[in-house]
Amino acid sequence: MGKLAWMACVATMAAAAAWSVGAQAQPVYKWVDAEGKTHYGSQPPPAKQDAEPLKLQSNNGTSGGSTSSGSKGASAKAGQQYNPDGTKKVSKDVEEFGEGLKKSLGTVDSQQVPLNCAVAVDNIHYQADLMLEVGQKNVRDGYMTQAAFDSAAPKIREAKGKYSVSDCQGASGNKKSFYQCMSSSKNHVTGCDKQYKH
């Protein structure tokens, strides 16, 4: 698909996706390394196994994305702030997390794994489906416009359709390296595509 298309899709989805990650089943960790740099990831590094999962909160102060019904939900809704495009604003903490998440997704794990076309294609397809799912959730929850989703979704679907086991088996050069990179479940399409432009 190429770097620009994947990056455009992820950039569109990730700004809003960060908020909804709190509702996902997989925990997200935040830790500071020995040099004082802050990192985000789905797994803490081996030296930081005691790292705690991040607990993200929406602007209304509840975990996840739904507000409770009744007066508490109504008062939280009244305090909601909106962007000029009509989408809900996310808190500064969640915005910072979103930026860290985008950076983390663009990083490739240094431990290389052997090429496995079936695993690579499954990972690519799963991640594309997840981007679409998160985008749809963010539209429903008011954190992304329908127009932004409608612009990004066809590109993600098109990209997903270009990757197959037979394409992987016939790949060479950077495309083969991309598939090898995606053979690791620790990598994301944006990081592999960024490193192995094809």
Side-chain angles (χ1 to χ4, degrees):
M1 175 176 189
K3 178 185 176 190
L4 293 179
W6 276 123
M7 291 303 284
C9 295
V10 171
T12 302
M13 300 297 185
W19 179 86
S20 70
V21 169
Q24 301 293 325
Q26 186 177 20
V28 177
Y29 297 89
K30 177 180 178 181
W31 67 92
V32 179
D33 66 18
E35 297 170 3
K37 292 182 183 177
T38 302
H39 300 274
Y40 299 88
S42 59
Q43 299 175 355
K48 295 277 188 182
Q49 287 299 325
D50 60 337
E52 292 289 323
L54 266 170
K55 293 179 181 171
L56 298 178
Q57 292 186 331
S58 67
N59 286 347
N60 64 15
T62 61
S63 294
S66 61
T67 59
S68 58
S69 59
S71 61
K72 185 177 177 182
S75 65
K77 189 174 182 178
Q80 179 67 57
Q81 295 182 352
Y82 292 87
N83 296 307
D85 65 1
T87 57
K88 294 177 183 177
K89 283 191 177 186
V90 294
S91 69
K92 184 174 170 72
D93 290 347
V94 174
E95 195 173 315
E96 180 184 299
F97 170 75
E99 289 304 313
L101 181 61
K102 282 196 298 189
K103 185 177 179 181
S104 176
L105 294 177
T107 304
V108 171
D109 185 47
S110 60
Q111 201 169 15
Q112 220 175 43
V113 300
L115 174 65
N116 183 326
C117 289
V119 170
V121 172
D122 279 349
N123 286 337
I124 294 165
H125 289 185
Y126 171 77
Q127 291 175 16
D129 289 342
L130 186 59
M131 281 189 267
L132 292 168
E133 183 182 323
V134 169
Q136 289 169 337
K137 179 180 182 349
N138 284 305
V139 169
R140 282 192 310 270
D141 292 345
Y143 290 90
M144 179 182 220
T145 65
Q146 185 68 51
F149 177 79
D150 290 345
S151 173
K155 295 172 190 169
I156 295 171
R157 290 185 187 106
E158 179 185 354
K160 177 185 170 186
K162 290 184 178 182
Y163 297 101
S164 66
V165 172
S166 60
D167 184 61
C168 173
Q169 290 167 341
S172 61
N174 274 358
K175 193 167 194 182
K176 182 175 182 178
S177 297
F178 170 78
Y179 276 116
Q180 181 174 357
C181 182
M182 288 305 301
S183 296
S184 169
S185 296
K186 293 181 179 180
N187 293 329
H188 192 269
V189 289
T190 54
C192 292
D193 192 59
K194 181 178 170 184
Q195 187 160 333
Y196 303 107
K197 298 171 185 68
H198 60 281

